[in-house]
Amino acid sequence: MVTLTFPTWMEPYRALATGKMTGDQWQALLRQLIWPVMGIAIFLLLWQLAAQRIDTSLGQFPGPVDVWEQAGSLVDEHQASRAKEVAFHERQEKYIAARLQQQPEWEPVYRDYTGAPTFFDQIGTSLITVMSGFLLASLIAIPLGIVIGLSSTAYAAMNPLIQLFKPVSPLAWLPLVTMVVSAVYVTDDPMVAKSFLTSMFTVSLCCLWPTLMNTSVGVTSVSQDLVNVSKVLRLNALSHVRKIVLPSALPMMFTGLRLSLGIAWMVLIAAEMLAQNPGLGKFVWDEFQNGSSQSLGRIMVAVIVIGLIGFLLDRLMLMLQRALVWDKSSVQR
Amino acid sequence: MKALLELSNVGMKFDTPKGTFEALKDVNLKIDAGEFVSLIGHSGCGKSTVLNIVAGLLQATDGGVILDKQEVTEPGPERAVVFQNHSLLPWLTSFENVELAVKQVFKKTKSKAEIRDWVEHNLELVHMAHAMHKKPDEISGGMKQRVGIARALAMQPQVLLMDEPFGALDALTRAHLQDSLMEIHAQLGTTVIMITHDVDEAVLLSDRIVMMTNGPSATIGEILDVNVPRPRDRLALADDPTFVRCRQQVLQFLYEKQRKVEPLPKRTDAATGAVRKRA
C-alpha cells in the first residue's frame, strides 16, 4: 500500500478539500494564501487607478491588463520567430540539397539564422551572463576572503582597497571594462562575444564585495576553542582550513553569496542597458528608444520578469544554502 | 622512578598596558605515570594557565615543562585536552569528531578498518555507542562532553588534560560522568590533570589535589594526597573518615587560608533602581 504524506504547508488545502478545517488551519490558509492574494489584488487595483491618470508622450501609462496583453504578444513574437528560424533552416537544407545535386563538387555553406533576439532570448542571455559573472566573482572572493580572514596582515593591506572599491557603481566601471576588453580580447575567431565579457566582468567587479567581506568575517569568527582543537591535533594549514575554517565560515559565506547574487542581477540589467549588451537591459532600452504605444507595456513586462527572476535566483541560493550548511538556524528567509 | 611530567619553576607574565602582570610564579610539580591530579583554586588563580602551558597552547615565560624527557614547546595529541565546553565540531557527527582525531594521530599506523574499530571502541568506552552518528546539536550537554572525552582518549595521550570538564553540567549528569571517568581511569591507567572548582569532585577522583594560591603571582599552596583506596564509591565515601578529612582540608585551604575578600559594592538608590529595571 502506498501512503501519501503531504508537506506541512499543504495540510490546510487537504483539510479544505476533505472539509475538515481546524482553526489553526484556517489561520495557516489565511497567512499562506488569502492575505498574499489580497495584497496583490489591492496593488493591481491601485496600479490600474494610477495608470489611468498618467498620460505620457507615448500614450497612457499601461495598467495591468495592457501589460498582460503585451506579455502575451511577447510570447507570440517569440513563437513566430522560432517558426521563422525553423523555416529558414528547412529552406537552407532544401537549397543545399538541390544545388549539390547539380554541382556535386560544390562545398555547401551553412548559415545561422540571424533574426533579432526575442524577449525570451534576452532572458537566456542575461541569465547566462549573470551566472558567469557571479561564478567568477565567487571564485575570486571566497579564496581571497579566507586569506584576509586568516591573516591580519592581509586584512590590513586589503581593507583600504576593499572599502574604496566596494561602493563603486557599475556604471563607473563599465566604460573602463569595455575599453579593456576591446583592447585585450583580440581574436579572429572569438569564442564568446565581447559584449558578454564586458557585462560579465562588470557584474563580477560589483558583486564580489559581499562574498569577500562575509567570508572574511566568517573566517575571523571561528571559535577559539575549535582553533585550539586544531592545534592539539596538529592539523596542518591546509587541513585546518578544510576541516575547521571552511565549515565554520560556511553560513556567513552563504549570506554573502546570496547578497552578491542579488547585486549581480541588479548590476547586470544596468550594465546591459548602458552598454547595449544583449540581455534584458538592452530589451528595456530598445523599447524605450523604439517609443511605440506598446513600449511602456513591454517595459513593464520586463520589469516584472526581472523581479521574478531575481526572486527565483534568491530562492535557488536559499535552497543550496539549506542543502549545504550544517547550521540550519543560520538559514533565514 | 622518574616523573612522567615535570613542571619546573613555571612562571607566566603578561604584558598589559598598565605594565607587566605576573600571573604565575614558581610552579613546581612532578606527576607520575597513571596519576590522577586535580588543580583546584579560586577563579582567576591561573589554573587554566597552568593547564594551557602543559598543553602547549601557552608558552611559559619562565621555567618549562618536560614530558617524558622532552620539553613541551607546542600543542600535540600526546597531551590531549578535554575542553570545558566540549569543543566538538558542530558539523560532524560524534563518530566523525572522534575519527578526525584518530585519523590525524594514527593515519600512518592503522588501517581504515582499524581506525573505524578504534573510534567505535572509544565511543563505547564513554557509553556513547548508541548515538555515534548524531551531531552535537542532537545530543545533550553531558553526551557532548562524553564525546569530547572519547576524542581525547582516542589519541592515546600520555597525559589527559581536562579543563573543568564537568563545570557546565547539572549535578546528576556530572555524577554520572565522574563515575565514567573513574571507570576509564581504572581501566586505562591514563595520567590525568583535571582543573575543577568542585571540592567533592576533586577528592572523589584524585590521587593528589594541587591547591593554588590566589593571583597575582599565583603558585602552588599545598598538595594533598588522597589516600582513599580505589575503586571509590561516592555513597560509601560520604562517611569515610579519610575522605571527610581530605574534603575538610581542601575547604579550609580555599575558604580560610586563601579566602577571597571581595567586598560587595555599596548600592546607591540610583543603582538599585537600575538593577531592578534590568531584572
Side-chain angles (χ1 to χ4, degrees), chain A residues 27-60:
Chain A
Q27 288 292 323
L29 191 69
L30 282 173
R31 208 172 44 244
Q32 285 173 12
L33 193 68
I34 312 235
W35 296 144
V37 168
M38 292 267 282
I40 292 170
I42 291 171
F43 168 74
L44 291 177
L45 194 73
L46 291 175
W47 176 10
Q48 180 65 44
L49 290 175
Q52 282 166 356
R53 281 165 181 72
I54 305 174
D55 279 311
T56 71
S57 58
L58 296 179
Q60 207 182 55

mmCIF file of all heavy atoms in Angstrom, chain A residues 27-60:
data_model
loop_
_atom_site.group_PDB
_atom_site.id
_atom_site.type_symbol
_atom_site.label_atom_id
_atom_site.label_comp_id
_atom_site.label_asym_id
_atom_site.label_seq_id
_atom_site.Cartn_x
_atom_site.Cartn_y
_atom_site.Cartn_z
ATOM 1 N N GLN A 27 -6.145 29.691 9.983
ATOM 2 C CA GLN A 27 -5.099 30.711 10.169
ATOM 3 C C GLN A 27 -3.987 30.533 9.139
ATOM 4 O O GLN A 27 -3.549 31.491 8.506
ATOM 5 C CB GLN A 27 -4.504 30.598 11.583
ATOM 6 C CG GLN A 27 -5.411 31.072 12.693
ATOM 7 C CD GLN A 27 -5.626 32.571 12.638
ATOM 8 O OE1 GLN A 27 -4.706 33.316 12.305
ATOM 9 N NE2 GLN A 27 -6.833 33.013 12.944
ATOM 10 N N ALA A 28 -3.568 29.276 8.977
ATOM 11 C CA ALA A 28 -2.474 28.989 8.051
ATOM 12 C C ALA A 28 -2.888 29.332 6.627
ATOM 13 O O ALA A 28 -2.113 29.915 5.863
ATOM 14 C CB ALA A 28 -2.072 27.522 8.154
ATOM 15 N N LEU A 29 -4.128 28.998 6.284
ATOM 16 C CA LEU A 29 -4.627 29.274 4.939
ATOM 17 C C LEU A 29 -4.654 30.777 4.681
ATOM 18 O O LEU A 29 -4.230 31.259 3.629
ATOM 19 C CB LEU A 29 -6.042 28.697 4.789
ATOM 20 C CG LEU A 29 -6.587 28.675 3.366
ATOM 21 C CD1 LEU A 29 -5.835 27.667 2.522
ATOM 22 C CD2 LEU A 29 -8.068 28.371 3.364
ATOM 23 N N LEU A 30 -5.121 31.531 5.695
ATOM 24 C CA LEU A 30 -5.146 32.986 5.565
ATOM 25 C C LEU A 30 -3.742 33.511 5.327
ATOM 26 O O LEU A 30 -3.505 34.332 4.444
ATOM 27 C CB LEU A 30 -5.705 33.618 6.848
ATOM 28 C CG LEU A 30 -7.223 33.579 7.017
ATOM 29 C CD1 LEU A 30 -7.603 34.071 8.394
ATOM 30 C CD2 LEU A 30 -7.879 34.460 5.956
ATOM 31 N N ARG A 31 -2.808 33.013 6.131
ATOM 32 C CA ARG A 31 -1.449 33.532 6.087
ATOM 33 C C ARG A 31 -0.765 33.182 4.765
ATOM 34 O O ARG A 31 -0.079 33.995 4.171
ATOM 35 C CB ARG A 31 -0.662 32.966 7.272
ATOM 36 C CG ARG A 31 0.460 33.866 7.741
ATOM 37 C CD ARG A 31 1.092 33.366 9.028
ATOM 38 N NE ARG A 31 1.329 31.947 9.028
ATOM 39 C CZ ARG A 31 0.743 31.087 9.858
ATOM 40 N NH1 ARG A 31 -0.079 31.518 10.767
ATOM 41 N NH2 ARG A 31 1.013 29.807 9.799
ATOM 42 N N GLN A 32 -0.983 31.930 4.321
ATOM 43 C CA GLN A 32 -0.247 31.468 3.143
ATOM 44 C C GLN A 32 -0.862 31.939 1.845
ATOM 45 O O GLN A 32 -0.168 32.175 0.871
ATOM 46 C CB GLN A 32 -0.221 29.936 3.106
ATOM 47 C CG GLN A 32 0.718 29.325 4.094
ATOM 48 C CD GLN A 32 0.533 27.820 4.101
ATOM 49 O OE1 GLN A 32 -0.121 27.258 3.230
ATOM 50 N NE2 GLN A 32 1.086 27.173 5.093
ATOM 51 N N LEU A 33 -2.191 32.019 1.813
ATOM 52 C CA LEU A 33 -2.837 32.229 0.522
ATOM 53 C C LEU A 33 -3.660 33.507 0.485
ATOM 54 O O LEU A 33 -3.462 34.368 -0.362
ATOM 55 C CB LEU A 33 -3.729 31.020 0.211
ATOM 56 C CG LEU A 33 -4.214 30.953 -1.227
ATOM 57 C CD1 LEU A 33 -3.053 30.668 -2.155
ATOM 58 C CD2 LEU A 33 -5.295 29.897 -1.372
ATOM 59 N N ILE A 34 -4.577 33.642 1.448
ATOM 60 C CA ILE A 34 -5.566 34.702 1.333
ATOM 61 C C ILE A 34 -4.917 36.073 1.450
ATOM 62 O O ILE A 34 -5.129 36.940 0.587
ATOM 63 C CB ILE A 34 -6.663 34.508 2.388
ATOM 64 C CG1 ILE A 34 -7.095 33.056 2.331
ATOM 65 C CG2 ILE A 34 -7.802 35.528 2.190
ATOM 66 C CD1 ILE A 34 -8.498 32.744 2.132
ATOM 67 N N TRP A 35 -4.116 36.301 2.482
ATOM 68 C CA TRP A 35 -3.519 37.634 2.639
ATOM 69 C C TRP A 35 -2.612 37.988 1.466
ATOM 70 O O TRP A 35 -2.724 39.095 0.924
ATOM 71 C CB TRP A 35 -2.756 37.757 3.967
ATOM 72 C CG TRP A 35 -3.607 37.646 5.216
ATOM 73 C CD1 TRP A 35 -3.232 37.055 6.381
ATOM 74 C CD2 TRP A 35 -4.929 38.137 5.452
ATOM 75 N NE1 TRP A 35 -4.233 37.108 7.307
ATOM 76 C CE2 TRP A 35 -5.296 37.783 6.764
ATOM 77 C CE3 TRP A 35 -5.860 38.830 4.674
ATOM 78 C CZ2 TRP A 35 -6.515 38.089 7.333
ATOM 79 C CZ3 TRP A 35 -7.091 39.141 5.233
ATOM 80 C CH2 TRP A 35 -7.403 38.774 6.540
ATOM 81 N N PRO A 36 -1.721 37.100 1.027
ATOM 82 C CA PRO A 36 -0.895 37.468 -0.125
ATOM 83 C C PRO A 36 -1.726 37.787 -1.365
ATOM 84 O O PRO A 36 -1.446 38.772 -2.067
ATOM 85 C CB PRO A 36 -0.032 36.225 -0.361
ATOM 86 C CG PRO A 36 0.013 35.533 0.949
ATOM 87 C CD PRO A 36 -1.308 35.809 1.607
ATOM 88 N N VAL A 37 -2.750 37.008 -1.619
ATOM 89 C CA VAL A 37 -3.577 37.263 -2.801
ATOM 90 C C VAL A 37 -4.282 38.610 -2.680
ATOM 91 O O VAL A 37 -4.353 39.389 -3.629
ATOM 92 C CB VAL A 37 -4.590 36.117 -3.004
ATOM 93 C CG1 VAL A 37 -5.643 36.505 -4.033
ATOM 94 C CG2 VAL A 37 -3.872 34.854 -3.452
ATOM 95 N N MET A 38 -4.768 38.911 -1.463
ATOM 96 C CA MET A 38 -5.399 40.208 -1.222
ATOM 97 C C MET A 38 -4.409 41.336 -1.482
ATOM 98 O O MET A 38 -4.763 42.357 -2.114
ATOM 99 C CB MET A 38 -5.865 40.303 0.238
ATOM 100 C CG MET A 38 -6.992 39.373 0.582
ATOM 101 S SD MET A 38 -8.577 40.179 0.388
ATOM 102 C CE MET A 38 -8.602 41.152 1.882
ATOM 103 N N GLY A 39 -3.202 41.167 -1.003
ATOM 104 C CA GLY A 39 -2.174 42.197 -1.188
ATOM 105 C C GLY A 39 -1.951 42.473 -2.655
ATOM 106 O O GLY A 39 -1.934 43.631 -3.087
ATOM 107 N N ILE A 40 -1.826 41.402 -3.419
ATOM 108 C CA ILE A 40 -1.591 41.556 -4.853
ATOM 109 C C ILE A 40 -2.801 42.220 -5.526
ATOM 110 O O ILE A 40 -2.647 43.122 -6.354
ATOM 111 C CB ILE A 40 -1.284 40.186 -5.495
ATOM 112 C CG1 ILE A 40 0.079 39.687 -4.985
ATOM 113 C CG2 ILE A 40 -1.258 40.278 -7.013
ATOM 114 C CD1 ILE A 40 0.400 38.258 -5.343
ATOM 115 N N ALA A 41 -4.001 41.797 -5.122
ATOM 116 C CA ALA A 41 -5.207 42.360 -5.727
ATOM 117 C C ALA A 41 -5.289 43.867 -5.475
ATOM 118 O O ALA A 41 -5.592 44.649 -6.390
ATOM 119 C CB ALA A 41 -6.444 41.655 -5.170
ATOM 120 N N ILE A 42 -5.009 44.279 -4.242
ATOM 121 C CA ILE A 42 -5.062 45.712 -3.923
ATOM 122 C C ILE A 42 -4.027 46.482 -4.728
ATOM 123 O O ILE A 42 -4.293 47.553 -5.270
ATOM 124 C CB ILE A 42 -4.864 45.923 -2.406
ATOM 125 C CG1 ILE A 42 -6.081 45.397 -1.668
ATOM 126 C CG2 ILE A 42 -4.644 47.406 -2.086
ATOM 127 C CD1 ILE A 42 -5.913 45.341 -0.173
ATOM 128 N N PHE A 43 -2.831 45.874 -4.871
ATOM 129 C CA PHE A 43 -1.785 46.527 -5.660
ATOM 130 C C PHE A 43 -2.241 46.719 -7.101
ATOM 131 O O PHE A 43 -2.083 47.797 -7.678
ATOM 132 C CB PHE A 43 -0.495 45.689 -5.598
ATOM 133 C CG PHE A 43 0.538 46.111 -6.591
ATOM 134 C CD1 PHE A 43 1.263 47.280 -6.382
ATOM 135 C CD2 PHE A 43 0.789 45.372 -7.735
ATOM 136 C CE1 PHE A 43 2.209 47.697 -7.302
ATOM 137 C CE2 PHE A 43 1.729 45.783 -8.664
ATOM 138 C CZ PHE A 43 2.438 46.948 -8.443
ATOM 139 N N LEU A 44 -2.828 45.651 -7.678
ATOM 140 C CA LEU A 44 -3.276 45.738 -9.076
ATOM 141 C C LEU A 44 -4.331 46.833 -9.242
ATOM 142 O O LEU A 44 -4.310 47.602 -10.208
ATOM 143 C CB LEU A 44 -3.830 44.392 -9.542
ATOM 144 C CG LEU A 44 -2.811 43.266 -9.699
ATOM 145 C CD1 LEU A 44 -3.487 41.965 -10.081
ATOM 146 C CD2 LEU A 44 -1.755 43.639 -10.747
ATOM 147 N N LEU A 45 -5.215 46.934 -8.261
ATOM 148 C CA LEU A 45 -6.270 47.937 -8.309
ATOM 149 C C LEU A 45 -5.672 49.345 -8.287
ATOM 150 O O LEU A 45 -6.021 50.201 -9.116
ATOM 151 C CB LEU A 45 -7.203 47.729 -7.114
ATOM 152 C CG LEU A 45 -8.525 48.469 -7.197
ATOM 153 C CD1 LEU A 45 -9.429 47.790 -8.234
ATOM 154 C CD2 LEU A 45 -9.201 48.523 -5.837
ATOM 155 N N LEU A 46 -4.765 49.568 -7.327
ATOM 156 C CA LEU A 46 -4.132 50.881 -7.215
ATOM 157 C C LEU A 46 -3.368 51.222 -8.491
ATOM 158 O O LEU A 46 -3.401 52.349 -8.984
ATOM 159 C CB LEU A 46 -3.178 50.918 -6.014
ATOM 160 C CG LEU A 46 -3.854 50.869 -4.644
ATOM 161 C CD1 LEU A 46 -2.807 50.792 -3.549
ATOM 162 C CD2 LEU A 46 -4.738 52.097 -4.454
ATOM 163 N N TRP A 47 -2.689 50.217 -9.032
ATOM 164 C CA TRP A 47 -1.928 50.394 -10.268
ATOM 165 C C TRP A 47 -2.864 50.846 -11.391
ATOM 166 O O TRP A 47 -2.599 51.827 -12.082
ATOM 167 C CB TRP A 47 -1.230 49.066 -10.576
ATOM 168 C CG TRP A 47 -0.480 49.018 -11.868
ATOM 169 C CD1 TRP A 47 -0.191 50.059 -12.696
ATOM 170 C CD2 TRP A 47 0.072 47.849 -12.483
ATOM 171 N NE1 TRP A 47 0.511 49.622 -13.783
ATOM 172 C CE2 TRP A 47 0.683 48.278 -13.681
ATOM 173 C CE3 TRP A 47 0.105 46.506 -12.141
ATOM 174 C CZ2 TRP A 47 1.335 47.386 -14.532
ATOM 175 C CZ3 TRP A 47 0.759 45.625 -12.995
ATOM 176 C CH2 TRP A 47 1.367 46.060 -14.175
ATOM 177 N N GLN A 48 -3.982 50.143 -11.541
ATOM 178 C CA GLN A 48 -4.939 50.459 -12.588
ATOM 179 C C GLN A 48 -5.438 51.904 -12.436
ATOM 180 O O GLN A 48 -5.457 52.684 -13.398
ATOM 181 C CB GLN A 48 -6.122 49.479 -12.521
ATOM 182 C CG GLN A 48 -7.186 49.705 -13.574
ATOM 183 C CD GLN A 48 -6.651 49.449 -14.992
ATOM 184 O OE1 GLN A 48 -5.947 48.476 -15.237
ATOM 185 N NE2 GLN A 48 -6.956 50.332 -15.918
ATOM 186 N N LEU A 49 -5.788 52.273 -11.192
ATOM 187 C CA LEU A 49 -6.308 53.616 -10.937
ATOM 188 C C LEU A 49 -5.252 54.670 -11.255
ATOM 189 O O LEU A 49 -5.552 55.692 -11.885
ATOM 190 C CB LEU A 49 -6.755 53.735 -9.477
ATOM 191 C CG LEU A 49 -8.012 52.929 -9.130
ATOM 192 C CD1 LEU A 49 -8.291 53.016 -7.633
ATOM 193 C CD2 LEU A 49 -9.193 53.457 -9.932
ATOM 194 N N ALA A 50 -4.028 54.396 -10.822
ATOM 195 C CA ALA A 50 -2.960 55.381 -11.055
ATOM 196 C C ALA A 50 -2.657 55.488 -12.542
ATOM 197 O O ALA A 50 -2.469 56.590 -13.068
ATOM 198 C CB ALA A 50 -1.705 54.982 -10.278
ATOM 199 N N ALA A 51 -2.634 54.343 -13.232
ATOM 200 C CA ALA A 51 -2.265 54.330 -14.652
ATOM 201 C C ALA A 51 -3.227 55.184 -15.482
ATOM 202 O O ALA A 51 -2.807 55.878 -16.402
ATOM 203 C CB ALA A 51 -2.246 52.894 -15.169
ATOM 204 N N GLN A 52 -4.498 55.146 -15.111
ATOM 205 C CA GLN A 52 -5.498 55.908 -15.863
ATOM 206 C C GLN A 52 -5.248 57.411 -15.787
ATOM 207 O O GLN A 52 -5.707 58.169 -16.628
ATOM 208 C CB GLN A 52 -6.900 55.610 -15.323
ATOM 209 C CG GLN A 52 -7.422 54.275 -15.815
ATOM 210 C CD GLN A 52 -8.631 53.825 -15.033
ATOM 211 O OE1 GLN A 52 -9.041 54.470 -14.065
ATOM 212 N NE2 GLN A 52 -9.195 52.700 -15.441
ATOM 213 N N ARG A 53 -4.567 57.830 -14.737
ATOM 214 C CA ARG A 53 -4.354 59.264 -14.530
ATOM 215 C C ARG A 53 -3.026 59.763 -15.088
ATOM 216 O O ARG A 53 -2.702 60.918 -14.946
ATOM 217 C CB ARG A 53 -4.445 59.583 -13.038
ATOM 218 C CG ARG A 53 -5.875 59.664 -12.557
ATOM 219 C CD ARG A 53 -5.955 59.605 -11.058
ATOM 220 N NE ARG A 53 -7.343 59.666 -10.629
ATOM 221 C CZ ARG A 53 -8.204 58.669 -10.775
ATOM 222 N NH1 ARG A 53 -7.818 57.535 -11.322
ATOM 223 N NH2 ARG A 53 -9.449 58.798 -10.370
ATOM 224 N N ILE A 54 -2.204 58.843 -15.620
ATOM 225 C CA ILE A 54 -0.900 59.264 -16.128
ATOM 226 C C ILE A 54 -0.897 59.214 -17.648
ATOM 227 O O ILE A 54 -1.013 58.146 -18.242
ATOM 228 C CB ILE A 54 0.226 58.372 -15.583
ATOM 229 C CG1 ILE A 54 0.201 58.345 -14.043
ATOM 230 C CG2 ILE A 54 1.587 58.887 -16.067
ATOM 231 C CD1 ILE A 54 1.182 57.395 -13.436
ATOM 232 N N ASP A 55 -0.771 60.381 -18.249
ATOM 233 C CA ASP A 55 -0.622 60.410 -19.695
ATOM 234 C C ASP A 55 0.796 60.780 -20.051
ATOM 235 O O ASP A 55 1.325 61.775 -19.581
ATOM 236 C CB ASP A 55 -1.588 61.446 -20.306
ATOM 237 C CG ASP A 55 -2.975 60.861 -20.445
ATOM 238 O OD1 ASP A 55 -3.074 59.729 -20.983
ATOM 239 O OD2 ASP A 55 -3.942 61.495 -19.977
ATOM 240 N N THR A 56 1.415 59.954 -20.879
ATOM 241 C CA THR A 56 2.792 60.241 -21.296
ATOM 242 C C THR A 56 2.767 60.562 -22.775
ATOM 243 O O THR A 56 1.724 60.448 -23.431
ATOM 244 C CB THR A 56 3.695 59.022 -21.067
ATOM 245 O OG1 THR A 56 3.341 58.015 -22.017
ATOM 246 C CG2 THR A 56 3.551 58.464 -19.667
ATOM 247 N N SER A 57 3.940 60.940 -23.307
ATOM 248 C CA SER A 57 4.022 61.220 -24.743
ATOM 249 C C SER A 57 3.812 59.951 -25.563
ATOM 250 O O SER A 57 3.581 59.989 -26.758
ATOM 251 C CB SER A 57 5.376 61.855 -25.070
ATOM 252 O OG SER A 57 6.401 60.987 -24.666
ATOM 253 N N LEU A 58 3.979 58.785 -24.895
ATOM 254 C CA LEU A 58 3.741 57.516 -25.593
ATOM 255 C C LEU A 58 2.349 56.988 -25.292
ATOM 256 O O LEU A 58 2.093 55.795 -25.367
ATOM 257 C CB LEU A 58 4.781 56.478 -25.164
ATOM 258 C CG LEU A 58 6.232 56.791 -25.522
ATOM 259 C CD1 LEU A 58 7.148 55.697 -25.028
ATOM 260 C CD2 LEU A 58 6.379 56.969 -27.021
ATOM 261 N N GLY A 59 1.461 57.853 -24.874
ATOM 262 C CA GLY A 59 0.108 57.417 -24.553
ATOM 263 C C GLY A 59 -0.053 57.168 -23.071
ATOM 264 O O GLY A 59 0.826 57.480 -22.269
ATOM 265 N N GLN A 60 -1.193 56.561 -22.726
ATOM 266 C CA GLN A 60 -1.498 56.350 -21.314
ATOM 267 C C GLN A 60 -0.569 55.313 -20.715
ATOM 268 O O GLN A 60 -0.146 54.374 -21.383
ATOM 269 C CB GLN A 60 -2.946 55.862 -21.197
ATOM 270 C CG GLN A 60 -3.546 56.213 -19.878
ATOM 271 C CD GLN A 60 -4.964 55.668 -19.813
ATOM 272 O OE1 GLN A 60 -5.205 54.488 -20.014
ATOM 273 N NE2 GLN A 60 -5.902 56.546 -19.532
#
